[in-house]
Amino acid sequence: MYQLHYFPANANAAPHMLLEEIGVPYDLVLVDRAKNAQKSGEYLKINPNGRIPTLVDGDLIMSEAAAIVLHLVDRHAEAGLAPRLGTPERATFYQWLTFLTNSLQEELMIWQYPDRLTGEDASATDIVRHGAETRASRFLDVVEDHLKANGPFFLGKHLSAVDFYLVMLSRWARPMAQPPRARPNISKLLDRMTGLHSVRRAYEQEGIADEIC
Ligand SMILES: N[C@@H](CCC(=O)N[C@@H](CS)C(=O)NCC(=O)O)C(=O)O
């Protein structure tokens, strides 16, 4: 049985929604960030970066939300949450998932934690934060244009793991000046996604009671 180490609405949310959508049994293990448990000796043994999430799958212990997502869609190909290997559709799927985790997620992290870059220099914090928000906003515009031309999902008519990943990032991005939902096609996609039982259940289990994104 899988074990997903999580903290509410952290980077575990995308793997968590997928576990629900796939419908496999799993245990949730809270890593209490409020007590800095992600840096405890015990947790560092399974995740030396001290970051959340971690997935345990038998003898396999892995981190990085996007990698966990890829592992789950491969292990459960019958769920149809990624196109067939070696197809152009699969390449497009890789492109969007990598874009979300590597480009949008990174800018959101800088926007949320600018001090990790600026250190003691408080005067630089606003500049760094603003720059990250501007770049994240542009990335969301690119997603919006893509969905407008090719939607309703990232892969056209087919729901895939990438759509779940956007839900996770959209929750984080809600306080932006131009939040994801300010864009009509992203908003439509988020409406569809938050209507899914799997999405609602994952956030409910994490104790999120307000609107998801
Ligand atoms: N690239 C990693 C980022 C993981 C990450 O930074 N997780 C945050 C929570 S969303 C975390 O554990 N932060 C705690 C810390 O930095 O101490 C992933 O996508 O899994």
Side-chain angles (χ1 to χ4, degrees), residues 29-118:
V29 182
L30 178 70
V31 185
D32 195 350
R33 257 185 96 177
K35 295 184 179 146
N36 220 25
Q38 77 278 16
K39 304 292 190 238
S40 69
E42 199 188 344
Y43 188 69
L44 290 174
K45 279 189 206 148
I46 61 166
N47 189 325
N49 286 321
R51 297 285 176 101
I52 303 163
T54 303
L55 182 80
V56 181
D57 176 9
D59 290 339
L60 172 71
I61 300 176
M62 67 181 299
S63 56
E64 292 300 326
I68 295 172
V69 162
L70 288 170
H71 178 61
L72 291 175
V73 299
D74 284 347
R75 284 267 273 143
H76 305 281
E78 71 291 345
L81 291 166
R84 222 161 29 86
L85 275 175
T87 60
E89 292 79 16
R90 181 76 173 207
T92 303
F93 168 80
Y94 287 143
Q95 179 203 298
W96 284 114
L97 185 63
T98 306
F99 171 75
L100 290 186
T101 187
N102 198 44
S103 300
L104 181 55
Q105 184 173 336
E106 268 318 288
E107 295 299 352
L108 291 176
M109 294 294 267
I110 296 169
W111 170 64
Q112 284 180 318
Y113 306 107
D115 49 305
R116 289 184 182 173
L117 292 186
T118 56

